[in-house]
Amino acid sequence: KTRLTTMACVSMCSMDDPYVQIPDTVSYNHYFGWYGGDTSQNGPWFDEFHAKYPNIPIGCSEYGCEALNWHTSDPQQGDYTEEYQAYYHEELIKQFYTRKYMWATHVWNMFDFAADGRDEGGKHGVNQKGLVTMDRKLKKDAFYLYKAYWNKEDAFVHICGSRYVDRKGDTTEVKVYSNQTTVSLYVDGTLVETQDGSRIFRFAVPMTGEHEIVAKAGAEEDSIHIRKVEEANPDYVMGEIKDVINWFDDEPYKPECYSIKDKMSEIKASPKAGAILAELMAQAPGAESRGDVAESVKDNPNLVRMMGRMTLESMLGHMKDSITEEQVKGLNRMLQQIKKGE
């Protein structure tokens, strides 16, 4: 009688199902912002649960996204970059930190781990949602975000992007995590800016060539080396996603017509555009490569409403192993023939 019971529910379990109310406490495994939906949906889902069932302690038993040694200045859901993983956890921890009614949250996972049936991010047999690599040798940037939030005693500063050396463009964002309230950034020995803030610090750095970047917070400091390049390093990008997210660059675009940039719910509401979307979903291969979570989510009415807020482009990003850039362009050309409202 002195020991509380608890249960972990996956996303497709409705918060109104009777079995959710059996244990003393309950938690949900949610991956909004990775398998479907977007990061902003996590906090509101828990708000809805807490409003309906204020006497049931609610927590998050799993959340996370995968990251390998891919890099970008424009992180996108499903790109497997270290930068998107860091962004994802920034958004999630901020939402969870402000909801004091949550009894627990569990990052999935501390370490990458073996998962025989998985084929994710260009690497077989490994779940790469860890904040640290499976061999325990490399701490991903997101690891230091949690250190900034949770480590109250040992001062530290960390510059993100140490593995993102080659950068295209005249300026680049340098992001710093620290548990100190003041951070100074130096470029090639010259002070660029000092910021007062909390945990996450962002600096705009002009790019002219090779640069040594140093962040200082009190007696602590960290450094990275970056260089300006004219062409993006192809070794930083997995597969065809690099083309899909920028395909508008060489295609005409009619904003008065539907496109893959529109939300799935908006496309579905159109008889003509919705028929194209329905055919795409019917022809899409199974969700084996996305795991059993995605397989269950796709037909779940409780998540259809939330996933409707995704853009079609975002969903296609999760199908990158089975759809080519030309197929994406062809799909968009069909949508661009249909005026919004038809």
Side-chain angles (χ1 to χ4, degrees):
K1 293 181 179 180
T2 62
R3 304 183 70 172
L4 298 177
T5 58
T6 191
M7 178 168 64
C9 303
V10 288
S11 281
M12 62 287 303
C13 299
S14 168
M15 64 176 69
D16 300 317
D17 282 335
Y19 57 78
V20 174
Q21 303 179 44
I22 291 175
D24 298 309
T25 69
V26 67
S27 283
Y28 264 78
N29 301 355
H30 279 321
Y31 289 92
F32 304 129
W34 184 241
Y35 290 119
D38 60 73
T39 56
S40 67
Q41 295 170 232
N42 289 275
W45 188 96
F46 287 100
D47 288 342
E48 182 181 351
F49 185 101
H50 184 59
K52 295 180 82 170
Y53 304 107
N55 296 321
I56 300 178
I58 180 67
C60 187
S61 39
E62 281 188 30
Y63 68 98
C65 74
E66 303 201 39
L68 289 83
N69 194 19
W70 310 120
H71 302 283
T72 180
S73 296
D74 183 26
Q76 301 287 329
Q77 181 176 332
D79 64 10
Y80 294 91
T81 63
E82 193 173 356
E83 287 72 30
Y84 183 78
Q85 186 193 48
Y87 164 79
Y88 171 94
H89 283 284
E90 288 172 16
E91 293 301 305
L92 270 289
I93 199 171
K94 283 188 293 187
Q95 291 177 57
F96 292 161
Y97 229 64
T98 56
R99 288 166 168 83
K100 301 302 182 182
Y101 60 79
M102 296 183 70
W103 74 271
T105 59
H106 297 82
V107 180
W108 191 262
N109 198 13
M110 180 64 168
F111 304 104
D112 293 345
F113 59 94
D116 187 60
R118 294 181 74 86
D119 181 10
E120 296 274 353
K123 191 171 184 179
H124 301 283
V126 181
N127 188 314
Q128 289 117 173
K129 292 189 183 72
L131 304 178
V132 182
T133 54
M134 190 159 62
D135 60 10
R136 276 56 170 172
K137 293 182 179 180
L138 188 152
K139 296 179 178 68
K140 304 175 190 179
D141 285 333
F143 171 92
Y144 294 96
L145 173 69
Y146 286 92
K147 190 171 182 178
Y149 270 83
W150 292 348
N151 189 326
K152 307 298 184 183
E153 299 178 0
D154 302 319
F156 90 99
V157 64
H158 170 79
I159 305 180
C160 299
S162 62
R163 289 164 287 280
Y164 183 26
V165 177
D166 295 333
R167 305 192 184 195
K168 184 181 177 182
D170 295 328
T171 61
T172 189
E173 180 184 84
V174 174
K175 186 165 57 178
V176 178
Y177 295 150
S178 179
N179 59 359
Q180 303 301 290
T181 57
T182 301
V183 172
S184 297
L185 196 79
Y186 296 79
V187 178
D188 302 326
T190 300
L191 175 64
V192 171
E193 185 182 356
T194 296
Q195 291 184 11
D196 294 325
S198 175
R199 303 184 179 102
I200 305 170
F201 302 80
R202 292 180 170 85
F203 301 87
V205 174
M207 295 286 288
T208 58
E210 305 250 354
H211 299 291
E212 194 73 18
I213 312 295
V214 177
K216 295 183 179 182
E220 305 301 315
E221 67 176 62
D222 189 25
S223 64
I224 64 171
H225 178 80
I226 60 176
R227 59 175 167 259
K228 181 180 180 179
V229 294
E230 296 304 318
E231 298 296 332
N233 189 335
D235 292 337
Y236 290 165
V237 185
M238 184 199 71
E240 294 182 342
I241 188 82
K242 62 181 183 295
D243 296 321
V244 173
I245 62 174
N246 294 316
W247 69 270
F248 268 138
D249 292 345
D250 58 1
E251 289 279 323
Y253 173 57
K254 296 180 289 186
E256 70 275 12
C257 297
Y258 290 101
S259 76
I260 66 170
K261 295 288 188 182
D262 292 315
K263 294 179 180 179
M264 292 177 61
S265 59
E266 296 169 346
I267 297 174
K268 188 177 179 181
S270 162
K272 293 182 179 179
I276 294 174
L277 178 60
E279 183 178 357
L280 171 69
M281 299 304 293
Q283 294 178 353
E288 313 87 59
S289 64
R290 299 300 301 169
D292 57 346
V293 174
E295 177 64 24
S296 302
V297 165
K298 68 182 179 64
D299 293 322
N300 184 267
N302 297 304
L303 295 180
V304 168
R305 171 172 55 89
M306 291 185 177
M307 292 185 70
R309 300 171 189 168
M310 292 176 64
T311 65
L312 178 54
E313 182 181 38
S314 177
M315 189 201 73
L316 292 170
H318 289 293
M319 298 169 59
K320 56 186 171 292
D321 294 331
S322 56
I323 192 166
T324 67
E325 178 190 1
E326 285 306 315
Q327 287 174 316
V328 172
K329 289 181 178 181
L331 172 62
N332 188 74
R333 291 186 191 112
M334 288 191 288
L335 291 172
Q336 284 274 275
Q337 303 302 312
I338 304 171
K339 288 189 176 181
K340 291 182 177 180
E342 291 186 355

